[in-house]
Amino acid sequence: LFRSGYDADKKELTITDEVKKDSTYSMGKAMVRVNMENAKIENIKTGDHALIIVDTVEGKSTLRSVMVHRAK
């Protein structure tokens, strides 16, 4: 569940999981999709349910993909 936000200066996305734990990830060159269409990270809204794919290299987590399905 996306709750916290995107920090454009740091290029980091903070999300809140189902147990209300916040996690922050570097955006890197992550693909962002909303309802199966290409989107920008700025299109993600608080309250969206997101599936994320994360690469972890040497202890640093970077997003590979952010996918949101939003009811129309």
Side-chain angles (χ1 to χ4, degrees):
L1 182 62
F2 176 71
R3 286 196 186 159
S4 299
Y6 175 64
D7 184 326
D9 293 331
K10 293 182 181 179
K11 295 187 179 173
E12 293 179 338
L13 179 69
T14 301
I15 62 165
T16 305
D17 66 17
E18 62 275 354
V19 293
K20 301 194 185 320
K21 179 180 179 253
D22 287 341
S23 299
T24 300
Y25 301 97
S26 172
M27 279 300 296
K29 295 181 179 180
M31 174 185 69
V32 179
R33 295 181 61 85
V34 175
N35 292 341
M36 303 299 288
E37 295 182 10
N38 290 333
K40 294 181 180 180
I41 193 63
E42 293 83 5
N43 297 122
I44 306 298
K45 297 178 183 177
T46 299
D48 282 341
H49 287 266
L51 172 67
I52 61 171
I53 299 174
V54 178
D55 287 327
T56 302
V57 177
E58 296 179 8
K60 181 174 175 156
S61 298
T62 302
L63 288 169
R64 181 190 307 173
S65 190
V66 179
M67 294 168 276
V68 170
H69 178 74
R70 186 181 298 148
K72 293 182 180 182

